[in-house]
Amino acid sequence: MQILESYLQGQWRPGTDTGARDLVNPFTGETLARCSASGLDLAGACAYARTVGGPALRALTFVERAGLLKALAGAIHEQREELITLSAANGGSTRGDAKFDLDGATGTLAAYASFGKRLGDRRFLVDGDGEQLGRTPRFWVQHVRVPLTGVAVHINAFNFPGWGMAEKMACALLAGVPVIEKPGEQTAQIAHAIARIVADSGILPDGAFQFVCGGVEDLLDHLGPQDCVAFTGSAATGRVVRGHAGLVERGVRVNVEADSVNAAVLAPDVDDDSATYEEFLSNVVMDMTQKAGQKCTAVRRILVPAERVDDVVEHLGEQLGRQKVGDPSVDGTRVGTLTDARQLAHVRDGLAALRAVADVRIGGDVPSTDYPAQVAPTLLVAKDSDADAIHDHEVFGPVATILPYDGDVRTATALVNRGGGGLVVSVYSNDAAWTETAVLELAPFHGRVWIGSDRVKGQALPPGMVLPNVVHGGPGRAGAGEELGGVRGLDFYTQRTAVQGFQGFVAKRFGAADVGSEQE
Ligand code: NAP
C-alpha cells in the first residue's frame, strides 16, 4: 500500500496516522493507498508560499509564466498512459473518462499558456481604457489588476483530480500567485501522481506549488487578507468554507464552485428526425454515462413536452442499452464505477428520494454490497414535475429524471430555475423566438446557457464540457462563484486598483493604448 505524502516547503512529508484515510479500488474494493495531512506544518507552508513562491512568480512576466504552464502541460502529458491506468484503479474511470480528466488538465494549462503569451511582457493587467476625470485630460484614471501577494489555497473535489487541480493552478500561477493544492481524498492517488510530476519536473520556482495530501486540517486558519481560497465540492461543504470564522474575520477572498441540478430542455419544435433531436439524445446519454454521472455539469433534469415523453424514454433507452457497464480497466467499458462505497451509498439514498416522486423507467438497481461500487444508468420520469426532491437534490451518479411539461417556454424556464442556480442549462430548439425567451429567462440563474440547434450539429462541443475560454460557475446553489473564462479567470487572484494622476504618467506607465498623452 502506497503512503501518499504532502509536498510542503520544497520537500515530501508524511502526515501522522491520526485521521488517515485509505483509498480503494472502487471496482475490486482493494486498498491502494493511505493519506493523511495530520501533524504537518501548514502555517509554515503558507508562509513559504508568501515569502518564497510569490516573489519569484511576481518577478516573471506573463510571457515567462505562460512558458511555465506550457512546460507543465508537456510534463504531465508525457505520463498520460500511467495516469490513465491509475485513474481506472483509484477513480473507477474508464479510459475515456480518464482522458477527459487528464487531457482537460493539460489542455487547460496549455490554453492559459497561450492566453499568457498574448498578455505580453507585463506583470500586471490593464483593465479597460483610461478616462479623463477632471475638466481637462490632465487628471486621468486607469484601472489595473495586480497579483495578490499571498497564497492561493485550492480545495478540490474528488471527481476531477487532474483537471480540477490544473484549471485552478493555471489561473493562479499565470496571475503570479503561488498555490497550495488540496485534492479530494478519494482520488488523491491520481492527484498525488500529478503533483509528483509537477514537483519533480523543477519547472516552477521554489514555493510556487505545494500539495496537501489528506484532510484540510488547520490550513484555513492561517490565511489572511492577501490570500484566497478557491473551493470545489458539495454545496454543504461550500457553506462551511464560506462561513469559516477566520476567513470571514480577515476578509479572505473565497470562490465556491458547488453542486448543480443541471437541466436539458427539449423545445416543442424539435422533430424526432432532426439533427437537433439526435444531438439532444447523445448529449443526455453522454452526461449520464461519462464518469458514471459524477460530473458537476451533468444533466440531472430533462424537460420534455408531455406528449413526447414515451418516445424520448424509448430512444434514450436504446442508446443507454448500448453503453457497456463494467470493469473500468477493460477496453470497451463505457460506464465505470462510482468513486467509492460512500458515493454508492449517496446514490442509493438519492435514488430512494427520487423514487418517491418519480417512476423508474430504465435501470434503477443499486447493489447492496459496497464493491463494485457500480450503478447502471437510471432514467426516471417525474409523477409531478414540480416535486421538490427533483429540483433540490443532486444525485451524483448516472441518474437523471425526465420532467414532462406543457411545451410553453415559461413553464420550462420556471421549472429549470427551481434548481436555485446552476452551472449549465442546455436548450434544444430551432425556433429563434422560443430560444431567445428561454435564454433571457434562464441566464440570471445559470453560469452558462448552451443552445443546440440544427445550425451547430456536428460543430458544438457538448454542454457538459468546461472550456478554458468560457466561464465556469453559477449563482445560488452552484456556489455563486466563477472560474476560467480566459483572462477573466485571473481576476480572482488579482486586485483591481484605480490609478489616478497626471495623464502623461498614468497612461504611459499603466495604460494599454497610446491616448496621445503629454510627456511624464
Ligand atoms: P465535498 O465532500 O464537499 O469535498 C470537497 C473538498 O472539500 C474535498 O477536498 C474535501 O476534503 C474538502 N472538505 C471537506 N470538509 C471540509 C471542510 N470542513 N473545510 C474545508 N474543506 C473541506 O465534495 P466531493 O464529494 O469531493 O465532490 C463532489 C461534489 O462536488 C458534487 O456535489 C459536485 O457537484 C461538486 N463539484 C462541483 C464542481 C463545480 O465546478 N461546480 C466540480 C466538481 C464537483 P476531503 O476529501 O479530505 O474530505
Side-chain angles (χ1 to χ4, degrees), residues 155-159 182-186 214-216 220 231-234 237 240-241 257-259 296 343 394 396 423 472:
I155 300 175
N156 292 305
F158 71 83
N159 59 333
K182 190 228 139 343
E185 280 181 76
Q186 294 101 309
V216 77
L220 302 183
F231 165 86
T232 295
S234 62
T237 315
V240 174
V241 173
E257 295 292 338
D259 59 46
C296 55
Q343 291 307 312
E394 179 201 46
F396 210 54
L423 296 174
H472 174 60

Side-chain angles (χ1 to χ4, degrees), residues 130-295:
E131 275 183 60
Q132 173 180 333
L133 291 178
R135 276 187 298 112
T136 73
R138 282 181 81 81
F139 192 57
W140 195 252
V141 64
Q142 173 65 59
H143 290 85
V144 294
R145 298 202 73 110
V146 294
L148 295 175
T149 59
V151 56
V153 168
H154 292 160
I155 300 175
N156 292 305
F158 71 83
N159 59 333
F160 282 103
W163 174 82
M165 183 159 78
E167 58 103 11
K168 285 184 166 58
M169 249 167 72
C171 293
L173 295 175
L174 184 59
V177 179
V179 298
I180 297 179
E181 298 292 329
K182 190 228 139 343
E185 280 181 76
Q186 294 101 309
T187 54
Q189 201 180 15
I190 305 161
H192 179 270
I194 295 172
R196 276 256 169 217
I197 296 169
V198 173
D200 292 352
S201 72
I203 291 166
L204 293 176
D206 201 14
F209 174 84
Q210 298 181 82
F211 179 75
V212 174
C213 202
V216 77
E217 305 297 330
D218 60 353
L219 181 56
L220 302 183
D221 299 341
H222 307 297
L223 302 182
Q226 282 291 310
D227 304 319
C228 57
V229 180
F231 165 86
T232 295
S234 62
T237 315
R239 280 192 290 276
V240 174
V241 173
R242 198 193 287 289
H244 182 283
L247 299 183
V248 173
E249 193 182 322
R250 293 187 288 278
V252 179
R253 274 185 203 185
V254 177
N255 191 72
V256 174
E257 295 292 338
D259 59 46
S260 166
V261 192
N262 308 297
V265 183
L266 183 68
D269 67 281
V270 179
D271 299 328
D272 274 16
D273 53 5
S274 66
T276 305
Y277 186 65
E278 243 178 77
E279 186 126 57
F280 159 76
L281 294 177
S282 66
N283 284 339
V284 169
V285 169
M286 176 185 284
D287 268 1
M288 289 180 67
T289 54
Q290 191 172 45
K291 293 197 67 76
Q294 297 171 115
K295 220 169 53 175

